[in-house]
């Protein structure tokens, strides 16, 4: 027989797991729509040429690429920024600017699978492209915060910093331009590593201990830049809670293309890392597709945000598969059960009718238990004659005889 | 510069197009949930071995497959039936039976792109696996019909037939078993071709004109089988409109694995073909993964159903990107505009704040027009001092001065 396995690093989502993911997607999309962001979906496959060289040499090795049957080199979507840049290049002059778009789709990376890291995972990005106004930076913070408010995660902290100011401090501390990005990558580890460890790492990169220590002290003392303060003020005017925005002068972010605001989201109760982040990138779109255009945006950690919502009890308890199973007493009474099921559904109740009239009642009750269906309806000859039903509460193990109207009301009030 | 193109046969979906697709997906999922179907999502990539040989020799050539970086032969999802069969094999004894699942995901086929045929397209499948009860066949018809009712397509016709009865008629007409499936494929074309054309095609397959003519006459005269009648009766008990179920003895369906009920959906106002179909397949799961299990299900034509809904005016007019654009009068008044935008959003109104305080009002109004935003709010120094706003109706070209509460009520009542 075949290799009946799921590939390593890939996941199946059944039942409730799939429902939770769909709930998160819809919740996020609702917020983006409220802010006037446009949805975008791009194809799974792109010309490999579009993707190669865009993410760095190491990342190029993680791109799933192959030759298609028409001898074209194609690649699976590696992120959502490059396809969006393609859209901007293809629709130059057509898209109203700024182009505010959100995109929630899977991406693929041939990375080593490990806890929390998959080869197929959903990215959730929002970007405002085509303006360098600080109000755009503020709106990016506002929509990010609003998503967590919508989920019900009130504890979200957004660490913010100004990459431009950070680079200035590095220069003042004596870091040469060719070392700047490498130093930023080390500083970015300050929330996971101790200061001593980061200093040791900087020393391994040829920075003297003195310069490294001095740099960290200077960073901690950096005061907020005028621009960053104006972004924060605007974000507060847009509804972000002031106390959730935390100026963090040591925040660095590990990507090289940021040019201004940088930020990341932290849910204090969730300890596996930041739940997303982003910033301003005023040269990236030009680098990617040759169209000079400013941008600011974020990637929201989809799996982590779902985990955080679960830890905080914010994922709704979905009504398993159905609220009620209508059993079939015998083949002659099957159509009575079907009609009652239909009546329930038309009243907005999720209802299943058991499908095999030859199975005994206890088999049907076991099915309800296995699927976590909390109520069961029985319609025997007596009930059918009187046009009533028996309703069993599977957990409390009690049953009542109800008219059809009473039955519907039971669930509509539940 | 790079090859900034979308691959042939692949599509980008921007703004309203993406919204329509999401609306259809959510509408369909709502109905499946109401019937107690479980959502399922499987990975984009599978072991190639799982897919090869499952769809026939011709189809094998359309599978996107390649060697991944770990020297595994992998393939992109070609349909949703084979991955579902894998799930059943992997979860044998774990899944409550019957397993009722729905799956709405893209699939990839290296087919020749043409009008209405893409290399990446969404499939929407529902199946009931693990029972041969006729009520399952009926429920498949009922959930299929309920989806179109939910969309608002009242004219749906479901053509139904019994593949077993069809094969019996073929045998009676003198078609030998080795010709049966080939003849079925020709008969399946009766809704697109004339009888003469189908007879000519049968002759080209070595069937005499006499047998072919006789066969078509016999088919047209076939009366409904007892089993099919009981499926129809049960479907009606489950809420399907009797007149929408049309016994069609010449309906054949082009797939070889059907063993009982076969059906297809037609929207009379939509002339580009059936909007989906399915049937019972009692041997398929065993053939695919070695687990003997009955099944019945359908594939709903996602693109075609969306097109049909558009033709019939059933796709909701989404409130473009936002209902209202709050303009920024000057940098000093920017935060007033941001606060009003936030207030609107918190009242459930989709609202955009213009982001660049340096742009003149006419640039801001052009942005509203380009995005199809129907209302614009202006807050100048006079309005700010009086805590009121000016509301412009972009279409009627009228404006009113409103208090903030009046502003919110305008949109909440809209």
């Amino acid at each position: 027989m075949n290799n009946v396995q799921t590939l390593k690093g890939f996941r199946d989502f059944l039942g409730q797991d799939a429902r939770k993911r769909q709930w998160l997607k819809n919740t996020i999309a609702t917020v983006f729509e409220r802010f006037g962001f446009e949805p975008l979906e791009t194809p799974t496959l792109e010309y490999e040429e579009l993707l190669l060289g865009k993410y760095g040499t190491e990342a190029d090795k993680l791109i799933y690429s192959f030759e298609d049957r028409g001898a074209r080199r194609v690649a699976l979507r590696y992120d959502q920024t490059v396809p969006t840049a393609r859209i901007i290049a293809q629709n130059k002059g057509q898209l109203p600017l700024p182009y505010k778009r959100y995109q929630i789709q899977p991406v693929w990376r041939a990375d080593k699978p490990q806890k929390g890291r998959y080869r197929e995972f959903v990215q959730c990005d929002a970007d405002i492209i085509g303006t360098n106004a600080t109000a755009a930076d503020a709106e990016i913070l506002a929509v990010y915060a609003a998503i967590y408010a919508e989920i019900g995660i009130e504890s979200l902290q957004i660490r913010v910093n100004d990459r431009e100011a950070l680079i200035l401090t590095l220069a003042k501390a004596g870091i040469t331009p060719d070392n700047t990005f490498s130093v930023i990558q080390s500083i970015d580890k300050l929330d996971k590593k101790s200061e001593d460890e980061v200093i040791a790492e900087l020393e391994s990169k040829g920075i003297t201990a003195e310069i490294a220590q001095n740099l960290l002290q200077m960073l901690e003392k950096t005061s907020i830049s005028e621009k960053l303060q104006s972004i924060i003020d605007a974000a507060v005017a847009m509804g972000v809670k002031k106390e959730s925005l935390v100026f963090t002068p040591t925040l660095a972010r590990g990507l090289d293309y940021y040019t201004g605001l940088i930020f990341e989201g932290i849910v204090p109760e969730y300890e596996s890392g930041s739940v997303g982040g982003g910033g301003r990138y005023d040269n990236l779109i030009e680098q990617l597709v040759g169209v000079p255009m400013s941008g600011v945006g974020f990637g929201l950690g989809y799996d982590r945000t779902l985990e955080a919502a679960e830890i905080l009890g914010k994922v709704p308890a979905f009504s398993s598969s159905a609220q009620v199973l209508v059993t079939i007493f015998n083949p002659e009474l099957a159509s009575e059960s079907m009609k009652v099921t239909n009546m329930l559904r038309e009243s907005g109740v999720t209802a299943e009718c058991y499908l095999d009239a030859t199975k005994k009642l206890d088999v049907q009750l076991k099915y309800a238990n296995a699927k976590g269906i909390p109520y069961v309806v029985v319609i025997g000859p007596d009930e059918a004659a009187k046009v009533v039903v028996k309703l069993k509460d599977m957990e409390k193990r009690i049953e009542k005889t109800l008219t059809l109207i009473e039955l519907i009301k039971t669930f509509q009030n539940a």
Side-chain angles (χ1 to χ4, degrees), chain A residues 131-201:
Chain A
T131 177
N132 56 14
T134 55
D137 303 62
E139 180 161 279
I140 279 295
L141 294 173
V143 71
Y144 184 74
I147 287 169
Y148 289 85
E150 185 81 12
I151 294 171
I153 300 180
E154 300 294 342
S155 57
L156 178 77
Q157 296 280 302
I158 306 179
R159 294 181 182 157
V160 294
N161 196 14
D162 181 340
R163 175 65 81 77
E164 217 173 4
L166 180 78
I167 290 174
L168 215 63
T169 307
L170 259 60
K172 279 186 198 156
I175 307 295
T176 55
D178 55 322
N179 268 331
T180 301
F181 183 57
S182 172
V183 169
I184 283 175
Q185 287 184 312
S186 298
I187 293 171
D188 186 49
K189 296 175 184 161
L190 274 173
D191 60 340
K192 285 169 210 134
K193 294 186 171 184
S194 71
E195 284 204 5
D196 286 349
E197 285 172 315
V198 169
I199 288 167
E201 184 176 310

Side-chain angles (χ1 to χ4, degrees), chain A residues 271-282:
Chain A
E271 289 167 0
S272 307
S274 86
V275 290
R280 175 163 283 284
Y281 48 87
D282 282 344

Side-chain angles (χ1 to χ4, degrees), chain A residues 44-100:
Chain A
T44 294
L45 293 179
E46 297 277 0
Y47 280 102
E48 183 186 33
E49 190 187 355
L50 180 74
L51 272 51
L52 276 185
K54 300 296 164 53
Y55 310 104
T57 323
E58 282 309 302
D60 275 359
K61 293 181 195 152
L62 305 183
I63 296 175
Y64 279 97
S65 61
F66 59 99
E67 188 173 293
D68 78 1
R69 289 174 190 267
R72 285 165 291 255
R73 290 295 310 175
V74 297
L76 273 73
R77 186 169 50 239
Y78 180 85
D79 82 342
Q80 300 181 134
T81 305
V82 171
T84 296
R86 170 179 61 70
I87 293 283
I88 286 166
Q90 280 173 305
N91 294 276
K92 223 174 113 178
Q94 308 290 318
L95 289 172
L97 293 182
Y99 178 48
K100 295 165 51 169

Side-chain angles (χ1 to χ4, degrees), chain A residues 101-144:
Chain A
R101 83 89 178 80
Y102 68 96
Q103 191 168 0
I104 309 173
Q105 291 192 276
V107 300
W108 295 269
R109 296 182 182 182
D111 220 333
K112 205 176 147 65
Q114 48 180 270
K115 194 184 173 313
R117 190 190 290 166
Y118 301 97
R119 287 180 166 159
E120 175 177 48
F121 59 96
V122 167
Q123 281 198 338
C124 169
D125 293 347
D127 293 272
I128 302 176
I129 292 161
T131 177
N132 56 14
T134 55
D137 303 62
E139 180 161 279
I140 279 295
L141 294 173
V143 71
Y144 184 74

Side-chain angles (χ1 to χ4, degrees), chain A residues 3 206 213 233 241 345-346:
Chain A
N3 200 345
Q213 279 163 358
D233 292 345
K241 285 186 294 185
R345 286 175 187 151
E346 289 191 340

